Amino acid sequence: MKNNILTGASALALAIGVPASAQNVSDIDQSGVDHGADVTQTGSNNISDVDQTNQFNEAVVLQSGSNAQSTINQSGNGENSDRANRAEVEQRGKGAISQVTQLGTTDTEASRNKADVYQDGASFSSVIQDGRAQQANVDQTGDLNESYVDQNGNSNGVGKAFDDRDIHAGVTQNGTSNFSSIDQNPATYANGNVDQFGDFNSAQIRQEIRGSAGAGRSDALIDQTGNSNVAEINQLSATQPARLSASSSQTGDDNGSFINQSGQDNEATVSQNATGAIGNRSYLTQQGEEGVASVAQTGSDNESVAVQGAPNRVTELQRLAVTQDGTDNFSDVKQFGSQNDAVVSQTGSGNNSLINQPGFDNAAGGFDGAGDVVSAGIVQDGTNNSSTLTQTANFGSAYVSQIGDELRSYVTQSGRANFADATVTQTGFDNESRIAQDAPAPGGGGPAFTMVAEVTQDGASNDSEISQTNTLGNPAVSANFASVSQTGTNGESLIEQNGHENSASLADAGDLNDSTINQMGNFNTTSVTQGGANNTSFVSQNGDGNSVSVSQNGTGGIVN
């Protein structure tokens, strides 16, 4: 049975000899078990101070009026969710301030304390919880709200975990110029959720994970609706794996998302919907292997910068997907390490995509369980789009698909003993494709490997250039292959190969196409097929055992 103390504004005012509407003051100190304090204050200039020491205590403060201030201090651990210290603050009126501090007594026992704060007005809330398995929820409605939640201990939560997110949001702010900060340190098995509705919202979540290998599994979620939103999530872990999850969702004009994760086996999701002329900004960093991330942006003038892995550590098996729907979008992807996969899809005009993978066995494209490509590494649908893909190590796969006019695709693959595969497909007018594959001699000897380049262009006035250079190892084996297919008129194609056992294939379907193939090395084979009128084919071979086949089906063709 709880021992309750009830205080009211009018009774306290009579005790100190002043009108109730002028000044209300309440000061409660309780030491023991199962105490309860209920404070109700109506009027302006209200102040409430509740201090409770020991276990299973409850403090409830209700303040109605302006310039109210509530302070609750509780110490002690709980046994379960029903047997723990509980603080509840409800403030209605401008200028209210709430400060809740709950301290656990030991590091080995769960505190299980809970704090709930509701404020209607230009309010300030601070919740400090020290211990394990504690819960904090803050709900603010009004202008210029600020919420700070600081939790020190594992298994703490600001709101429910992701699966129970609809039950309670954690920190909810509805108004303009809202700010929310959640700091959880340590944050093993912790969760932090923030929902903001209104203009000029800003939210920060910081989770620092400590512990042995396998510790982690913390969640952070920020959901914002309004203009000029800023979401920042930092999840820092030295454990392997960490298994952290971060999610940022923004709807409005001029949104910014910043996610930084360290540790292994982390997941990050960014969703941004720009409703005005100013687009979205997403900056994502995952410093650890087996990271999975996705970025989805809708609107004009969007920017996505994503980095997975780190140049000074061994990382692998990272996955990244970027989707941008709008005009003048920019995507920059960099993946360090090996066996990484990146997919970028852009729809609209004036888009630019960069992918840089300095590592082994990387792929720009999606694969199924059988190893077959199920999606292109870079997909662009629109006009005036540009794609640059760079892989600077062995065993790289690059896939580019572009639909529209005046498109540009640049693929560079280089590495010792390179086994490179590049495929570019362009549909439209006045498109340009460049593929450069370069493999220096393998260090310490050994054979070189195969490089494959394939270009398909459908439309008029397209330009394709393929360059393959392989400095042979020992034995000198290099089965390079280049293939170009162009459908349309006024197309230009250039294939240059330097190495053994090369093969080049060109197919032109249309009029006024120009083809050039240069092969320098042994056992080269060339096949050219041109269908249409007034096409030109030039083939140059320097080496032994070469073979040339040129077929022109049309009138006015020229072969050199």
Side-chain angles (χ1 to χ4, degrees):
M1 178 178 180
K2 287 190 178 295
N3 300 312
N4 293 325
I5 294 180
L6 307 177
T7 66
S10 58
L12 183 59
L14 291 175
I16 62 177
V18 296
S21 60
Q23 183 178 4
N24 301 311
V25 177
S26 172
D27 190 355
I28 298 176
D29 294 322
Q30 294 176 318
S31 178
V33 180
D34 283 319
H35 286 297
D38 294 305
V39 178
T40 301
Q41 295 175 318
T42 303
S44 60
N45 299 317
N46 301 318
I47 297 177
S48 172
D49 186 0
V50 177
D51 296 302
Q52 294 175 322
T53 303
N54 221 313
Q55 296 175 290
F56 319 138
N57 296 316
E58 181 178 285
V60 179
V61 177
L62 173 60
Q63 295 174 317
S64 178
S66 59
N67 301 319
Q69 181 172 343
S70 170
T71 302
I72 297 177
N73 296 311
Q74 294 176 322
S75 63
N77 294 330
E79 293 179 349
N80 51 54
S81 58
D82 296 325
R83 295 280 289 169
N85 290 327
R86 179 173 178 268
E88 180 179 335
V89 178
E90 182 175 344
Q91 296 173 316
R92 297 183 178 274
K94 295 183 178 180
I97 297 175
S98 171
Q99 295 177 311
V100 177
T101 302
Q102 295 175 317
L103 304 178
T105 57
T106 65
D107 295 332
T108 57
E109 298 180 9
S111 302
R112 298 188 176 90
N113 296 321
K114 184 178 181 181
D116 292 286
V117 178
Y118 173 78
Q119 296 174 316
D120 187 356
S123 304
F124 172 90
S125 171
S126 172
V127 177
I128 299 175
Q129 294 176 318
D130 188 359
R132 295 172 51 218
Q134 305 198 93
Q135 186 75 25
N137 299 301
V138 179
D139 192 334
Q140 295 177 319
T141 300
D143 300 330
L144 304 173
N145 297 320
E146 292 185 45
S147 170
Y148 298 86
V149 178
D150 190 343
Q151 293 178 323
N152 183 11
N154 295 321
S155 303
N156 291 322
V158 182
K160 300 295 184 181
F162 281 7
D163 293 340
D164 300 325
R165 183 174 170 273
D166 292 336
I167 299 176
H168 210 300
V171 176
T172 301
Q173 294 176 317
N174 191 347
T176 60
S177 303
N178 297 319
F179 176 80
S180 172
S181 174
I182 297 175
D183 193 340
Q184 295 171 315
N185 180 14
T188 300
Y189 301 106
N191 64 276
N193 301 336
V194 177
D195 275 4
Q196 293 178 319
F197 304 91
D199 298 330
F200 310 110
N201 297 320
S202 179
Q204 300 175 352
I205 298 178
R206 177 183 173 89
Q207 295 174 325
E208 187 166 346
I209 288 80
R210 306 175 188 174
S212 59
R217 192 58 278 172
S218 292
D219 300 323
L221 182 148
I222 297 177
D223 194 338
Q224 296 173 317
T225 301
N227 295 325
S228 301
N229 298 316
V230 177
E232 182 178 348
I233 298 175
N234 286 286
Q235 294 178 314
L236 310 176
S237 173
T239 65
Q240 304 293 339
R243 299 190 179 95
L244 306 175
S245 179
S247 176
S248 171
S249 177
Q250 297 174 314
T251 300
D253 192 18
D254 191 18
N255 300 314
S257 173
F258 306 85
I259 295 179
N260 179 32
Q261 294 177 316
S262 62
Q264 182 179 328
D265 198 16
N266 295 326
E267 179 181 352
T269 302
V270 177
S271 176
Q272 294 177 315
N273 181 18
T275 58
I278 304 177
N280 304 306
R281 304 291 181 269
S282 171
Y283 302 94
L284 188 150
T285 302
Q286 291 180 315
Q287 301 181 50
E289 61 184 32
E290 298 186 49
V292 177
S294 66
V295 178
Q297 295 176 317
T298 302
S300 301
D301 192 26
N302 297 315
E303 180 180 354
S304 171
V305 178
V307 178
Q308 290 182 312
N312 57 349
R313 66 182 65 179
V314 178
T315 56
E316 61 182 1
L317 298 173
Q318 295 160 142
R319 300 292 180 264
L320 176 64
V322 178
T323 302
Q324 294 176 318
D325 187 356
T327 59
D328 296 320
N329 297 317
F330 174 77
S331 171
D332 188 354
V333 174
K334 180 173 288 187
Q335 292 178 314
F336 294 96
S338 61
Q339 302 183 63
N340 300 317
D341 182 16
V343 176
V344 177
S345 176
Q346 294 176 317
T347 302
S349 302
N351 297 318
N352 188 11
S353 173
L354 308 176
I355 295 180
N356 186 6
Q357 295 174 317
F360 293 91
D361 201 12
N362 292 318
F367 299 88
D368 60 15
D372 296 326
V373 177
V374 295
S375 62
I378 297 177
V379 180
Q380 293 177 318
D381 188 351
T383 59
N384 295 300
N385 294 323
S386 177
S387 164
T388 301
L389 200 157
T390 304
Q391 295 173 321
T392 56
N394 301 333
F395 305 101
S397 297
Y399 299 86
V400 178
S401 175
Q402 294 176 316
I403 301 175
D405 299 331
E406 300 182 50
L407 306 173
R408 302 292 180 265
S409 171
Y410 306 95
V411 177
T412 301
Q413 296 173 312
S414 62
R416 293 185 181 275
N418 197 14
F419 188 99
D421 188 354
T423 301
V424 176
T425 301
Q426 294 177 318
T427 302
F429 176 81
D430 196 23
N431 296 320
E432 179 183 330
S433 172
R434 297 287 184 268
I435 297 178
Q437 296 174 320
D438 184 10
F449 289 93
T450 301
M451 296 187 292
V452 178
E454 298 177 280
V455 176
T456 301
Q457 293 177 318
D458 186 1
S461 300
N462 293 319
D463 184 8
S464 170
E465 181 178 317
I466 296 176
S467 174
Q468 293 177 321
T469 302
N470 202 327
T471 303
L472 302 180
N474 185 18
V477 179
S478 176
N480 299 330
F481 176 75
S483 173
V484 177
S485 175
Q486 292 178 320
T487 302
T489 60
N490 293 298
E492 293 186 9
S493 172
L494 172 63
I495 297 176
E496 293 185 339
Q497 294 177 316
N498 182 1
H500 282 208
E501 304 176 60
N502 298 321
S503 177
S505 173
L506 172 69
D508 282 334
D511 301 331
L512 300 172
N513 293 313
D514 187 2
S515 165
T516 301
I517 297 177
N518 296 323
Q519 293 177 318
M520 292 170 284
N522 297 321
F523 308 107
N524 299 319
T525 299
T526 298
S527 175
V528 177
T529 301
Q530 292 177 317
N534 300 311
N535 294 316
T536 301
S537 174
F538 176 83
V539 177
S540 174
Q541 293 177 320
N542 183 6
D544 299 330
N546 298 319
S547 175
V548 177
S549 174
V550 177
S551 175
Q552 291 180 321
N553 300 318
T555 60
I558 299 174
V559 177
N560 291 318

